[in-house]
Amino acid sequence: MMKKILFALLALVGSAATLEAQELNFEVNVLTPHLQKVDRKVFDGLKVAVKEFINTQKWTDDVYDVQERLTGTITITITDELSLTSFKAEISINVNRPVYGAEYGSPLITHRDPDFTFTYEQYQPLLFTKNTYSDNLTSVLAYYVYSILGMDYDSFSLLGGEPYWQIAQDIFNATPNEVKDEWRGSGASNRSRYWISENMVSPRFKPFREAMYGYHRQGLDLASGNLEAVKAAVVDAVTKIDATNSAYPNSLAVRIFVNTKSQEMVDIMKGASPDQKTKFITVMTKIDPANANRYAQVGF
C-alpha cells in the first residue's frame, strides 16, 4: 500500500514539473568589452531580466516536458554606450533542438545580428504583449523567440511553425517606422533580422520548410539508429534547399541553415554511399561555395 502511495506521489510531482516546464531553457550572457560610462551592475541586471523574460514566459499553448525544451545561449555584446540608458549591441543566438529518443540534440539556429539598439534602465521590467510595441529590446527578443519556435515547430510537423512565423512578422509590423529601418537593414541587404520571418512566410520558402521537417523529423527523429535513412534525409533536404536558393539567391534563411547545420551534415555524410556523397558535395558547394573544402571532407 505504501509503495502505491509513493508511486502516486511521484507521478503527481512529475506532472506538476511537466506543467511548469516552459518551452525554452536558455543561458544569457551580456558582454561589455568597451565599458566606460555605465555601472556594470546595470548590465548584470539586464542579464537577469533577459533570462527571466525568455525562460519564464509561456510562449505557446502547448505543454512541454522538461526534456523537450529547447536549449541554447543568447549573448548580447554591448558595442557602444550611446547614453547611460541607450546602447548599441550585437546579439548572437545558438539554439539546440532535442532529438526524439536520443540523449543528444541537434543545432537548430546559429545566428549573429550585428545591428541592435535598445534602451534599458536598471530594474526595468521586460514586458511583451502581442501586437503592441513597447520597446526595441523586448520586441527583438520576442521576435527571435517566435522565430526559434517557428523553426522548431517546422522541424516537428510539416509547415507546423506557421503561427509562430506570423507572430514574428506581426512583431515587425508593430514597430514604429523609425525602428523599422534598423530591422530591414540598409541598401539592398537581405541579411537583417526582418528577412528571417519575411523569408519563412513567403511561398517561395515552402521547399525550405519542407526540408527542415524532412531533415529533423523524418531523418534525425524517426530514423534514430538507422543511419542510412538519416543520410538519405540529409540529401533530400539539401536538394530542396538548393531549389529554394535558386528561386531566392543569398537569402538569410539559407545562410542561417548553412551556418547552423554544415558541420553536423558533414559528420553524418562521411559514411554515406559514393552517390550520396557526390550529390551532397555538389549541392552544398553550389549553395555555400566559400566552404567547399569543408564539404569535401566527406570524401568519396
Side-chain angles (χ1 to χ4, degrees), residues 63-130:
V63 175
Y64 278 57
D65 289 335
V66 171
Q67 67 271 19
E68 292 176 332
R69 291 184 297 179
L70 293 164
T71 59
T73 304
I74 289 181
T75 300
I76 299 172
T77 302
I78 307 298
T79 57
D80 194 5
E81 298 168 292
L82 304 177
S83 74
L84 294 178
T85 59
S86 180
F87 310 99
K88 184 172 177 59
E90 65 177 43
I91 182 168
S92 298
I93 300 168
N94 293 280
V95 183
N96 288 297
R97 166 201 188 278
V99 174
Y100 181 78
E103 295 183 356
Y104 55 86
S106 174
L108 185 69
I109 296 177
T110 299
H111 179 59
R112 183 179 72 89
D113 181 342
D115 191 11
F116 174 36
T117 58
F118 66 94
T119 59
Y120 175 76
E121 296 184 34
Q122 194 171 13
Y123 309 121
Q124 173 186 330
L126 302 187
L127 305 173
F128 170 74
T129 304
K130 291 179 186 176

